[in-house]
Amino acid sequence: MILSTKRARALLAAAALSLLAAPALAHEYKLGPLVVTHPWARATPGGAKIAGGYLKITNNGATADRLVGGSVAAAAGFEMHEMKMEEGVMKMRALPNGLEIKPGETVELKPGGFHLMFTDLKRPLKAGEMLPGELRFEKAGTIAVEYKVEPLGAQKPDRHTH
C-alpha cells in the first residue's frame, strides 16, 4: 500500500501524539471520585531499608475520603508520614489514622511534606523502573498503581520520562 506524503505525515504525527499522550494517561489512576496522579519514588543505594513514595490525590467527590494504607512489591512495610518545621526543627511523624482528602481538594505527597515510606526494602529501587503497588482508601477501596522510580535524590518527578 502506497500512502501520499501528506497522508503519511498525518499518520506519523498521530502516532507520535498517541505515544506522548499514552504514558501521561497511563500514570493517572481513577477510583470513584478520587484521581491519583503520577506516583513516584526515589532510587535507593544498595543496602537501603527505606524509600520515599510521592503522588497527588484529588477528591472530585462530595464527601471526604482517607488514604489508610497500601503496599509496594519491593517492601514489606508501607507507612504514611508528615514532615514539618516546628520551632526551627524539621520533624517527621507517622500518620497512623491515614491522610484525609477533603471534597474538592488535592493533597500532594512530596519530599519535605506528606509522603509514603516504604520500609524493609527487599531490594534496591533502580531509576527508570516501575514499582507495582496498591493504595487503600477508607471509602473508595483499593486501587493498583505503579510508582515510577526517579534518580537518587530527585526532588520532583521527571514528567518527560513518562
Side-chain angles (χ1 to χ4, degrees):
M1 178 175 168
I2 299 175
L3 296 175
S4 70
T5 304
K6 219 176 190 182
R7 184 168 167 91
R9 283 187 186 146
L11 286 172
L12 283 173
L17 283 174
S18 69
L19 287 174
L20 290 173
L25 294 175
H27 218 204
E28 180 176 281
Y29 305 88
K30 294 182 181 178
L31 179 65
L34 302 179
V35 179
V36 176
T37 307
H38 192 69
W40 67 282
R42 286 187 182 131
T44 57
K49 291 296 177 190
I50 60 169
Y54 314 99
L55 47 87
K56 287 184 185 177
I57 306 167
T58 301
N59 184 347
N60 293 318
T63 60
D65 205 337
R66 183 174 293 277
L67 177 62
V68 293
S71 63
V72 291
F78 182 101
E79 300 173 2
M80 290 158 285
H81 287 212
E82 177 185 25
M83 289 183 74
K84 66 180 179 180
M85 275 299 213
E86 290 181 1
E87 299 176 13
V89 177
M90 183 63 86
K91 295 187 177 183
M92 183 170 65
R93 68 181 178 100
L95 301 171
N97 297 322
L99 180 61
E100 182 179 36
I101 303 95
K102 294 178 182 174
E105 291 191 4
T106 297
V107 175
E108 183 174 8
L109 285 72
K110 61 185 179 180
F114 293 117
H115 62 278
L116 304 174
M117 189 157 292
F118 309 143
T119 60
D120 298 320
L121 290 178
K122 301 172 186 173
R123 61 173 180 78
L125 305 184
K126 299 196 183 306
E129 76 174 310
M130 297 300 284
L131 182 63
E134 289 185 340
L135 296 171
R136 193 170 57 256
F137 294 91
E138 187 174 70
K139 294 177 183 167
T142 301
I143 186 168
V145 298
E146 285 190 309
Y147 296 84
K148 169 71 167 129
V149 180
E150 300 290 353
L152 190 66
Q155 291 298 306
K156 61 182 180 175
D158 179 4
R159 298 205 188 275
H160 299 291
T161 62
H162 308 291

